[in-house]
Amino acid sequence: MVFPTLQFVLFFALVLGLNAAASRRLAWRNAVLIAASYVFYAAWDVRFLALIMFVTAIAWAAGLAQNDPRWARAAKIGAIVVMLGVLAACKYFNFFFVSLQQLLGDSVLSRDLAWLRIVLPVGISFYVFQAISYVMDVSRGEAAARRNPGDVALYISFFPQLVAGPIVRAADFLPQIDRVIRPDAAMRAGAVVLILSGLFKKMVVANYLSVLLVDPVFGFPEMQNAAGALLGVVGYAVQIYCDFSGYSDIAIGVALLLGFRFRRNFNQPYRATSLRDFWRRWHISLSSWIRDYLYIPLGGNRGGAVRRTAVTLTTMTLAGLWHGAGWTFILWGALHGLGIAVERRLALLQFRRPALVAGAVVFAFVTLLWIPFRAGSIQTTLEVLAAFTRSQGISPVPLPVSVLVLLALGLAMNWLPVGWRDRVEVRLSGWPPMAQAGVLATGTAIMFATAQEGVAPFIYFQF
Amino acid sequence: MQENRVFNATLWASLFIMWLVSGEAFLDWAFTMPDIGRLDDALLGLVAGAENAKAALGLPDMFQALQAAIHAATGLG
């Protein structure tokens, strides 16, 4: 079940009603949300429920063990190893198996062992990271261990952010399940703006750019010339931003209507003036998770330049691997790490650039690195890069003007004055609830009518 | 509390109106749902019955008209 579908609209309408009815008692409200979250997840594949329940049980038990100094450390390490093991088995087994097959060639591994292939459970990267966050936050004393397994179940499975984030921290989420917060006018207004902007980004900008511009370029790179490749690559930069930040907006908006507040997950990433700035603006919940639970424990900014570079490269390569089990994702992460290391070196040499130039360089670098991310193979990556050297070939120009407008709009979202959304929310929060709901319903209908038939899945679902 | 009730009720009413003026979109969706066993036939029967009742009212498919107008105006679709 994905957000921009009639199926989800009906599901959410039902959950909204049940949530409101159960809000008289905290235990009922939480039970309704756990049941709804499990139904939401089971709609993908009912077998996945066993996995999320297993991860929840491990996190809950490890959290409780943090109260006993004799077991705390072993339980923490054991739980993290098991949870990462689950992630590795489900997400990376096929990748390592195929890589080993290719390496060893005609050997025992090259026999048909397709039965070993494991189906990737949707959203596993997100909820395993949330489960680790629970164990770590409890271990650090930033959140209290929960005796009630339902609390941990709700934290890990809460459906708005279950399958594609944002990755919510236990310390942020758990206090919110201890009391019922009924959305006020400001929360409803924020939800309306977020849901509609998310639907527009995903259903209109991302989906049309994908079908009309990006897919043809990456599908047939050998036929493109430089202009076509450039448009396709910039188109993908806009598509992935609108796709993922659109999903995050809808998730945060849906959570608001249920009385939960999440932090912002994107902050105009393409206006970043350095790579470190980019990672403070892009998928903020993942960047901060990686910083707090990986980069800093590995050594962070401590030690000399060589050690810091090694830690940065390791962290970013692992971040790349988190995104997908493939060499192109590893390459993408490693090159981002290399870029950050070079940037740090240049800063030490007091190399200064005007903000406009710095922003343009970062945008070009990030956009160029989306090529392996989208291409899916090193060969396609090289073919797209080769297209930049060709003057002959088909170019997607002339595109429908509306596609160019969507491209410009997607880019402009990164440079619009940051306060516009706040102003709209403030104005909308003064409206009566019937008018707020009317705006949400009418806007949703218009987005559905504007969208193409059929729904392209969110890019980040595969992660 | 009261405001949230009004907000939710308005959303449900909007959904009902959407169903009334959206042709067979809901019916199409019902047939694409995963099979949920014995409940499936009952649910499909319910949806089909409601759709028949709606068809008897002879309401226009305004959603499709809106879709066509937007696609024609923007060149998308």
Side-chain angles (χ1 to χ4, degrees):
Chain A
M1 200 187 310
V2 289
F3 286 162
T5 57
L6 188 52
Q7 197 179 7
F8 181 79
V9 170
L10 294 175
F11 167 80
F12 185 59
L14 185 66
V15 173
L16 203 56
L18 291 173
N19 181 65
S23 287
R24 291 171 196 279
R25 292 185 65 169
L26 188 65
W28 293 355
R29 194 282 307 261
N30 289 351
V32 162
L33 290 181
I34 293 169
S37 300
Y38 281 170
V39 168
F40 177 82
Y41 198 52
W44 296 93
D45 189 328
V46 74
R47 292 171 300 173
F48 295 166
L49 276 183
L51 196 63
I52 197 169
M53 286 174 176
F54 175 69
V55 169
T56 301
I58 297 288
W60 171 71
L64 280 183
Q66 299 311 303
N67 292 332
D68 186 339
R70 290 171 301 168
W71 295 103
R73 188 174 161 77
K76 180 177 79 174
I77 293 171
I80 291 172
V81 167
V82 170
M83 290 191 281
L84 288 178
V86 167
L87 183 61
C90 293
K91 186 165 177 175
Y92 302 109
F93 177 81
N94 294 342
F95 167 62
F96 287 118
F97 186 78
V98 170
S99 299
L100 202 61
Q101 254 186 342
Q102 288 167 347
L103 192 72
L104 297 178
D106 189 21
S107 71
V108 66
L109 282 172
S110 65
R111 283 188 230 143
D112 184 14
L113 293 174
W115 59 274
L116 273 174
R117 299 285 169 88
I118 293 173
V119 178
L120 175 64
V122 67
I124 188 169
S125 310
F126 290 91
Y127 67 71
V128 163
F129 270 30
Q130 289 213 165
I132 292 175
S133 163
Y134 172 73
V135 177
M136 293 295 288
D137 286 359
V138 170
S139 138
R140 292 173 177 181
E142 291 168 10
R146 297 291 169 142
R147 293 203 169 278
N148 181 356
D151 290 356
V152 183
L154 180 53
Y155 163 62
I156 291 175
S157 70
F158 189 48
F159 73 89
Q161 37 74 221
L162 172 59
V163 293
I167 300 166
V168 184
R169 299 293 183 84
D172 288 339
F173 187 87
L174 289 174
Q176 299 191 55
I177 63 175
D178 290 337
R179 62 197 177 105
V180 175
I181 299 170
R182 294 188 176 85
D184 57 18
M187 285 173 83
R188 287 193 303 270
V192 170
V193 173
L194 281 165
I195 292 171
L196 292 182
S197 73
L199 288 175
F200 177 72
K201 283 179 185 172
K202 168 59 185 166
M203 297 182 85
V204 182
V205 182
N207 284 3
Y208 277 115
L209 284 181
S210 168
V211 172
L212 298 175
L213 176 59
V214 178
D215 291 353
V217 170
F218 280 86
F220 305 98
E222 69 285 356
M223 295 167 72
Q224 307 298 323
N225 61 21
L230 183 65
L231 269 173
V233 171
V234 173
Y236 185 66
V238 174
Q239 183 204 339
I240 192 167
Y241 165 67
C242 287
D243 192 284
F244 192 27
S245 73
Y247 183 91
S248 290
D249 285 352
I250 300 169
I252 297 169
V254 162
L256 270 176
L257 288 182
L258 296 170
F260 289 81
R261 291 180 198 273
F262 293 164
R263 293 184 196 191
R264 180 192 283 198
N265 206 22
F266 286 85
N267 180 20
Q268 300 186 306
Y270 292 142
R271 72 188 297 174
T273 52
S274 69
L275 283 175
R276 278 174 293 173
D277 187 23
F278 173 78
W279 282 104
R280 281 191 289 265
R281 294 166 174 271
W282 178 273
H283 200 176
I284 298 165
S285 62
L286 175 70
S287 308
S288 58
W289 193 101
I290 286 172
R291 180 197 63 209
D292 293 348
Y293 300 128
L294 186 62
Y295 181 72
I296 292 174
L298 280 176
N301 291 333
R302 297 189 298 273
V306 174
R307 185 189 160 94
R308 274 195 300 168
T309 302
V311 170
T312 303
L313 277 173
T314 306
T315 305
M316 292 309 294
T317 304
L318 289 173
L321 191 62
W322 177 89
H323 280 82
W327 292 108
T328 48
F329 292 108
I330 292 173
L331 179 70
W332 173 77
L335 288 175
H336 262 283
L338 196 63
I340 291 170
V342 169
E343 202 176 70
R344 211 180 263 145
R345 189 77 192 142
L346 288 174
L348 282 177
L349 298 172
Q350 303 209 320
F351 178 80
R352 293 184 192 283
R353 297 161 295 176
L356 198 65
V357 175
V361 169
V362 170
F363 179 71
F365 185 80
V366 168
T367 301
L368 205 61
L369 288 193
W370 285 130
I371 297 174
F373 194 95
R374 167 63 177 81
S377 72
I378 300 291
Q379 190 189 343
T380 309
T381 303
L382 295 175
E383 283 172 0
V384 174
L385 287 173
F388 279 95
T389 63
R390 275 198 296 271
S391 56
Q392 302 296 314
I394 55 165
S395 160
V397 178
L399 278 167
V401 176
S402 46
V403 173
L404 294 174
V405 170
L406 290 178
L407 191 63
L409 259 178
L411 284 171
M413 284 173 200
N414 284 273
W415 286 279
L416 278 174
V418 286
W420 75 269
R421 195 149 86 178
D422 296 339
R423 284 195 292 277
V424 173
E425 283 181 23
V426 167
R427 178 159 291 197
L428 198 59
S429 65
W431 288 20
M434 192 184 281
Q436 290 177 327
V439 170
L440 180 57
T442 309
T444 303
I446 291 172
M447 294 307 162
F448 272 71
T450 310
Q452 278 194 311
E453 298 281 347
V455 179
F458 285 95
I459 293 174
Y460 263 66
F461 277 12
Q462 62 186 297
F463 308 143
Chain B
M1 184 84 169
Q2 179 63 24
E3 288 194 341
N4 284 324
R5 279 197 197 128
V6 174
F7 182 86
N8 292 349
T10 309
L11 283 182
W12 293 325
S14 306
L15 198 56
F16 180 70
I17 293 168
M18 273 295 296
W19 171 71
L20 280 178
V21 296
S22 63
E24 295 184 341
F26 283 68
L27 187 65
D28 292 343
W29 167 75
F31 278 105
T32 59
M33 271 200 330
D35 192 333
I36 45 175
R38 278 186 294 179
L39 263 178
D40 210 44
D41 288 343
L43 197 64
L44 283 178
L46 197 72
V47 173
E51 289 287 341
N52 285 337
K54 184 174 79 175
L57 294 174
L59 295 167
D61 187 347
M62 287 171 65
F63 180 77
Q64 203 173 39
L66 176 68
Q67 193 172 40
I70 291 174
H71 287 175
T74 59
L76 296 169

